């Protein structure tokens, strides 16, 4: 397999991948506690009801972890993947009982001889149950034959 063929099989500009995840209040509370996020808006329904959100919301680390994990799940089927950098913008809350859609699109693929693989630039988002973007994201990952 030539270098160009191998690179094309790992990622290509315009490629899209996604998944849906249904959150539960129990999962949201558990994740927040495990990562040390003691904000009661993630695990105390009575407190959350008094906030601007009116109910429990998922933590930022929880929702972005799901989004980043999707990149690993997708690209690891084709070789090895290593996250290089990610950026997120929180636009609206994600509720603890919401079904969300995680989406990524490959923007650019750049072969990198020093890293022995391809640097893949991504644009992504998390859409809430209402179809609106709750989190916008950008990222760069290394996709290669082996780490």
């Amino acid at each position: 397999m030539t270098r160009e063929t191998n690179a094309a099989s790992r990622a290509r500009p315009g490629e899209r991948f996604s998944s849906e995840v249904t959150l539960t209040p129990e999962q949201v509370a558990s994740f927040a506690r495990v990562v040390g996020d003691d904000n009661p808006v993630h695990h105390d329904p009575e407190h959350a009801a008094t906030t601007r959100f009116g109910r429990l919301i998922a933590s930022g680390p929880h929702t972005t972890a799901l989004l980043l994990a999707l990149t690993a799940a997708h690209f690891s089927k084709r070789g090895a993947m290593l996250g290089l950098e990610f950026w997120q913008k929180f636009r609206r809350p994600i509720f603890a009982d919401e079904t969300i859609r995680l989406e990524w699109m490959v923007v650019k693929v750049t072969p990198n001889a020093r890293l022995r693989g391809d640097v893949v630039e991504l644009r992504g988002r998390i859409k809430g149950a209402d179809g609106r973007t709750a989190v916008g994201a950008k990222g760069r990952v290394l996709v290669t034959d082996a780490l």
Side-chain angles (χ1 to χ4, degrees):
M1 185 179 281
T2 67
R3 171 75 180 115
E4 294 82 82
T5 303
N6 195 21
S9 67
R10 287 189 283 223
R12 65 187 183 290
E15 173 183 358
R16 296 174 182 266
F17 52 100
S18 62
S19 70
E20 283 194 356
V21 175
T22 300
L23 300 173
T24 68
E26 296 77 21
Q27 291 170 335
V28 166
S30 176
F31 187 95
R33 285 191 178 102
V34 165
V35 299
D37 187 339
D38 293 329
N39 187 336
V41 76
H42 305 310
H43 57 79
D44 182 342
E46 290 176 10
H47 172 80
T50 68
T51 69
R52 68 181 69 199
F53 310 115
R55 63 190 210 240
L56 293 175
I57 62 170
S59 68
H62 188 171
T63 57
T64 57
L66 293 169
L67 192 59
L68 274 57
L70 178 59
T71 65
H74 179 75
F75 290 114
S76 293
K77 295 174 187 169
R78 302 172 182 189
M81 198 235 45
L82 182 64
L84 299 175
E85 65 182 9
F86 289 95
W87 168 91
Q88 303 89 31
K89 181 176 182 178
F90 299 101
R91 297 181 177 185
R92 68 166 203 80
I94 294 175
F95 296 103
D97 58 354
E98 192 168 7
T99 297
I100 57 176
R101 183 166 181 83
L102 314 168
E103 300 177 342
W104 284 108
M105 181 179 74
V106 174
V107 175
K108 185 177 179 184
V109 179
T110 306
N112 186 306
R114 185 177 61 82
L115 297 176
R116 298 185 311 272
D118 301 314
V119 174
V120 180
E121 294 182 32
L122 303 159
R123 298 291 179 271
R125 66 183 171 179
I126 300 174
K127 291 169 56 176
D130 62 3
R132 293 179 19 224
T133 298
V135 178
K138 296 178 185 179
R140 289 184 342 125
V141 300
L142 173 67
V143 182
T144 185
D145 291 330
L147 295 178

